[in-house]
Amino acid sequence: MTKLDAEAIERLIDIVKEALESGHASTSDLEEWLLAAIALEEMALEEEADARERRTFASWIAPGTTTLH
């Protein structure tokens, strides 16, 4: 997970915590926010996996190769 992704998740958690402490959040709000945080983390992990796959695939192809046979 990138630093930016981790910061976004931490900020979302802080917002949820503040809302709960101040009494501005309902149970359903909490559930939605936690699901959003989980979704953000999953998206970040998927992006990392995709980036690794692209690097791996690129290393299999010799520079200058334009077709696969």
Side-chain angles (χ1 to χ4, degrees):
M1 188 165 26
T2 67
K3 183 178 177 183
L4 183 60
D5 295 327
E7 288 173 357
I9 292 167
E10 289 298 320
R11 181 65 186 134
L12 182 58
I13 291 168
D14 289 340
I15 290 168
V16 170
K17 186 192 274 185
E18 289 172 19
L20 287 172
E21 290 172 353
S22 67
H24 289 100
S26 68
T27 304
S28 63
D29 291 335
L30 175 61
E31 184 178 327
E32 287 181 29
W33 291 335
L34 291 175
L35 289 173
I38 292 168
L40 283 172
E41 186 172 6
E42 288 176 349
M43 287 177 7
L45 293 173
E46 287 174 8
E47 287 178 12
E48 284 182 11
D50 290 347
R52 277 193 305 275
E53 288 177 11
R54 283 191 300 274
R55 286 190 302 271
T56 301
F57 184 70
S59 70
W60 294 345
I61 299 175
T65 303
T66 57
T67 60
L68 297 175
H69 295 285

